[in-house]
Amino acid sequence: MKRVILILIVMILTITPIGCSPIVEESAELLEGNNQVENENTEPRILRVDEQNLGYPSIYTVSPRGRGYLLMSLIFDTLTWKDENGVTAMLAKDWIVSDNNLEWTFNLVENANFTDGTKLTAVDVKFSFEYMMKHPHQWVNLNMVEKVEILDQHQVKIFLKEVYAPFITDVAGNVPIMPKHIWEKIDEPQKFNTDEAVIGSGPFTLAKYDIDAGSYIFEANEDYFLGKPVIDQLILSPNNQPALSLKNGELDAAQRLSYGEAMELKREGQFKVIEGPGLWVYRMYFNFDIPEFNQKELRQAIYYGINRNEIVEKALKKAGIPGNPGHIHPDSDWYSDVVKEYTYDPDKAKDLINQAGLSDKALEYELLVTDDRVDEAEMMKKYLGDIGISISVKAMDQKSVDSLISEGKFQLALNGHGSFGGDPVLLARFIGEGVNLGSTPTVTAQGGKKWSNEIFDDLFLKQLKETDYQKRYKIVAELQNIIAEELPTLTLYYRKITFAYNTEKLNGWYYTKDGVAIAVPTTQNKLIYINGTWGNQ
């Protein structure tokens, strides 16, 4: 009887024109094979969410973008984490910091296991930190760590070379803890993509990854130390029509909606729609190998020549807010509004170009942009043309744009990225050569000659060591003043993000303040799958 009922459930779920019917069918088989259907009257709790193909979800093989980190976090836990209120305990049940802020002692939970049944201990924590120091990771910077000592089976002490203000969030809350008995044999982690590579202590295990379809099936870790997840399976798969698929019952939640689609769903009232700051910034990059870009008057002229409000209104359809010249998002606790402003003023822009002695120079540049942002690029072409700067637009795929910017093979570029809330350590993207502190995702890096300012570098290093919030805030405000005056990048806008879901499935979604780990903006905080509720129960 149990098999007959399960087959009927699968048949109902798979009659869809657009969704992931093969994935749903296979997920039901996996559930049956693992005896997760507890009795004849219990249906499997399957949650289906749209997602892009982010690669194999192990630590070093998943996409370097923020969504890749989120995917990996379903499998691997960290010492601390964030919930809707801020920092919370994870594998470390509590911790103590020394008076000089250089020694952090973590007391680990005693009931955490890896999904191969091996107990998680201080040995694995020490190994994970040391492994990442030996094998650098794009989301983790451990330059401030001197050593890690095991005090006992469930207690570990981390010694820092110097005070690092965001340690508890950006290091303790960011380093995935790996099973030593597996990873100690791996010398090339970027090639490690076997079943062993996804053995972690997190709330889910990977049941299947379809590399061609870009889809994932995750199963609940029944022995998870925080309790079994409230869903049995999580299915993530690409979907080109998430709003329609949500309406048709092919998805239970949709995160890759356009802002307009989300607002329409909200008006219709069938699904719950939440909106939050995307912690995602769209900005203009300068290649400082081009001599005139080293003149701040030209950079300022370009900013005066761009109508940021019109971009948000027309290109984004109000799905964002105009950028702050000081770069930090206005919703951040570190935001300062006392910075130089640049209201749209083409005449002021032309005056600055004259002051820079560039009015007689042929200012002609290629503008690199992703092929889904051509509208913004064409607006830029018009704006800059009005102040005497000729632009040719070069549109490419996201991977190519990221690569060319990181290699310094561009003139002007428009690009966007997340990981923009959280600690002001993310301003590390503006520090000069040879200053190698902070945890900033390499996807935002810029190659070639960089903008450099010694005062900025000194202040940046100073604020990293300041643990008093008010004192640190004043330093960070000074950093924003420098950015607004010098404009090493032009912050154009911050995108809003939305999330729509069926309340008859999983409830309890929220936006994590400042994003998870080092500021990944999302509703996909894995704690929702632990603390949420299935339907209206």
Side-chain angles (χ1 to χ4, degrees), residues 323-377:
N324 160 38
H327 199 57
I328 287 182
H329 196 291
D331 285 341
S332 170
D333 289 339
W334 302 98
Y335 168 73
S336 171
D337 61 358
V338 187
V339 298
K340 182 180 179 69
E341 260 301 343
Y342 296 82
T343 54
Y344 177 54
D345 191 340
D347 291 334
K348 175 70 172 177
K350 293 175 184 177
D351 289 342
L352 283 168
I353 290 175
N354 288 332
Q355 290 175 30
L358 296 172
S359 56
D360 295 329
K361 181 178 175 60
L363 303 176
E364 301 176 350
Y365 308 107
E366 181 181 81
L367 179 63
L368 180 66
V369 65
T370 55
D371 45 25
D372 62 339
R373 290 286 182 271
V374 174
D375 286 349
E376 284 96 319

Side-chain angles (χ1 to χ4, degrees), residues 131 135 182-192 196:
Y131 189 89
H135 301 279
I182 291 176
W183 286 82
E184 64 183 346
K185 300 173 289 185
I186 307 303
D187 295 323
E188 297 181 287
Q190 291 80 7
K191 298 179 181 179
F192 186 34
E196 284 192 318

Side-chain angles (χ1 to χ4, degrees), residues 11 15 73 178:
M11 289 176 65
I15 302 175
S73 75
M178 304 175 278

